[in-house]
Structure formats: structure tokens, C-alpha cells
Amino acid sequence: MSLDTPVAIGDELLAGPTQKRPASSTQGTQSPAFWPRLVPFALVLMLAVIGPFLATHSATEVVGGQSEAPSGEFWFGTDANGLDIYSRVVTAFRLDIVIALCITIIATVIAMVVGLVSGMYQSNRGVSGILARLLGRAVDLVQSIPVMIAGLVIVSFFGRNAVVITLSLAVVLMPFQARLMRTEVLRTRTDGYIDAARMSGESEGRLLVRHVLPNSFRPTIENTSTIFGMAIIFCAALGFLGVGIPTPTAEWGTMLAAGAPDAAVGRWWSVLFPAAALALSVWSASLVVAAFVGKRRTSH
């Protein structure tokens, strides 16, 4: 065989030193789009940090007349209680974003543990198999309950505060991540290197942490931006229904609920600006999802 003859190795074709792989040119043209898509989400995170410092008035005290239109003194106007809407919108960034981040982190961590155990040992006999199957059925049960109904019930029992809302939404959003993690574990556990590691004498705990987890968690991490957006929406929905963070604490959902009567008679500013902040946060999270999906397709 001549040295110039192409040799197939796996899925690649080595034809010679002058031949270029088409994948590299594809990555070069598509990968730069990844970073610009993260800019809106970075802006939202920055507003969560500095938002309260941008307020021009107190976010919890009456500073003007009722339902005043936007002006030089009150940039976004005032609501029906005389509270400055601009100050409340920028201050609410910190509360709503922190709650959404905590929900995302808690739901993802619990989901990764549940997905690891239920996916790895569901077909086993004995205690580990029973526990894995019970966890799988528990995830299915929680996911069958509508998120808003579960949130309403939990908040009604345990009170309207940030901790209860965070924990309740983390529990009801966890199955979305757990099922994704479980699917990846089911795919990974049949790979040959898992059997080789088990035959070499590695413990089950070390097998999970060292081999299964690193090869299964990426889709779950990429999906955290979706959970983040859902967390903001449901947190605001609880506030709109009157079971969210109580007033006068600045929170977008309660602001929308308080401004709805004004909006019905043409005082649009009471709902426009908190709704825009809510939409910006959810949209920025969706861009992060698109960025990771696009990057994953490019890498393949």
C-alpha cells in the first residue's frame, strides 16, 4: 500500500498533511456566536448585584402621589400606593435573581444525586435496586403535580417567605433535571470502561463519582438555564396570585398584581416596567440555552 493512500481510522480519513478537516472551519465560523449570547444574562446578573444601588428613592416607602405618570423625578412613575416603580424594579433584580439561582442550584444538585442512583441501580436486586426504583417513582409522582398547584399548597402551609418559596419550587422543578440526568446515566452505565473499572475493584461510590458522574452531568448543567427561567416565571406567578413575597418588599410578581387595576384604566407604567424586567431575565436565560446547544452542535 502506498503512503499516499488514504487510511480510514474510526470515523476520520487521514489523507495527508495538506488535507484540512472541515470541522475546524465550521467551528471557526460558528463558535464566536457563543459569547455574545451570554451578554444579556451577564447584564441580568450585574443588575442583581448593583440593582439596589441604582435606586433613586426608597423601594419600600411612599415617596410620591398615587399612580403618577413617569417624570423627571419618578422615571417609571409611581404605583397605586405611591411607591417609586423604577426603584422597586431595579431593587427586585437582586431578590428575584437570587431566588432563581438558589432554586436552580438546589434542584440541580438534588437531581444529579437522584438521577445517579435511580439510573445506575434501577435494575439491581436488593436494597440498592429498591431504593433506585422508589426514587424513580417519586420523581414521576412529583412531576405529575402541576408546578403552580404544588407551590400554592406548600407556601400556604409553611408561609410566604423567600426560603419557603425557594425550597418549594426547587422540589417541584427538580424532576425536570433528574429525568435528564437519569437518561444520561442509563446511557453511560453500559459503556465498557464502567465494567472495566468495576472489574478492577473500584468501589461503587468511587465508580459513580469518578466515572459515571463526569460522563453524565453535562446535559443537566446545560439545562440549568432553562430551570433558571422557569424559576423566575413561577416565582413571579406566585407573587401575582398573592402568595409570593409579601409587600412592600420589591418583587416583580407582586408589583404586577398591584399594578393590574391601574393598567386596566390606562395607567400602563405600573405593569410595563416590572413585566419588561421579568421578560429580560427569562429571555437572557433562553439565550444561554441556545448558546450551549449551538456550541454542542458545533463541537460535534
Side-chain angles (χ1 to χ4, degrees):
M1 181 175 59
S2 173
L3 294 177
D4 295 330
T5 304
V7 180
I9 301 180
D11 295 328
E12 299 181 352
L13 192 65
L14 304 181
T18 60
Q19 183 173 350
K20 297 182 180 180
R21 296 180 181 179
S24 61
S25 60
T26 303
Q27 292 178 358
T29 57
Q30 295 182 4
S31 58
F34 174 76
W35 295 109
R37 291 178 178 178
L38 302 184
V39 172
F41 188 71
L43 174 63
V44 169
L45 294 180
M46 183 180 68
L47 288 173
V49 176
I50 67 174
F53 301 105
L54 300 177
T56 56
H57 298 84
S58 172
T60 58
E61 297 178 359
V62 176
V63 294
Q66 296 180 349
S67 303
E68 293 187 15
S71 62
E73 182 179 3
F74 305 111
W75 297 347
F76 292 174
T78 62
D79 62 10
N81 297 317
L83 301 172
D84 180 39
I85 296 176
Y86 165 76
S87 299
R88 289 176 62 77
V89 167
V90 295
T91 301
F93 266 99
R94 176 172 295 181
L95 178 63
D96 283 87
I97 298 304
V98 168
I99 288 178
L101 285 174
C102 292
I103 291 171
T104 303
I105 293 172
I106 295 172
T108 301
V109 171
I110 296 175
M112 291 175 71
V113 175
V114 173
L116 272 175
V117 175
S118 62
M120 194 68 180
Y121 304 116
Q122 69 168 5
S123 60
N124 289 11
R125 297 180 179 180
V127 177
S128 62
I130 295 175
L131 176 61
R133 288 187 288 273
L134 286 176
L135 286 175
R137 300 294 80 77
V139 168
D140 294 338
L141 176 62
V142 174
Q143 193 170 17
S144 66
I145 304 173
V147 174
M148 284 308 303
I149 294 179
L152 285 170
V153 172
I154 296 174
V155 171
S156 300
F157 271 102
F158 297 101
R160 298 167 56 188
N161 58 71
V163 175
V164 172
I165 292 175
T166 299
L167 294 178
S168 61
L169 289 180
V171 169
V172 295
L173 291 177
M174 177 271 297
F176 295 96
Q177 293 286 70
R179 293 178 69 89
L180 184 60
M181 184 69 183
R182 177 176 173 271
T183 300
E184 290 299 311
V185 171
L186 288 173
R187 179 189 59 80
T188 303
R189 71 173 187 174
T190 58
D191 292 340
Y193 63 87
I194 300 297
D195 295 331
R198 183 178 286 113
M199 293 175 63
S200 67
E202 291 197 19
S203 63
E204 288 298 317
R206 185 178 178 85
L207 188 70
L208 286 175
V209 175
R210 187 175 180 182
H211 299 287
V212 180
L213 179 60
N215 292 284
S216 305
F217 77 98
R218 177 171 293 182
T220 306
I221 296 299
E222 293 176 355
N223 196 54
T224 53
S225 51
T226 301
I227 301 300
F228 177 86
M230 294 171 65
I232 292 181
I233 292 175
F234 288 125
C235 181
L238 289 175
F240 186 80
L241 294 176
V243 293
I245 305 296
T247 54
T249 303
E251 195 274 323
W252 295 326
T254 56
M255 292 179 65
L256 290 173
D262 276 352
V265 295
R267 301 187 185 102
W268 47 267
W269 54 88
S270 297
V271 297
L272 174 63
F273 298 108
L278 179 64
L280 171 63
S281 302
V282 177
W283 173 69
S284 66
S286 68
L287 283 183
V288 176
V289 176
F292 277 109
V293 171
K295 183 178 181 181
R296 196 174 186 184
R297 288 177 179 174
T298 303
S299 64
H300 291 333

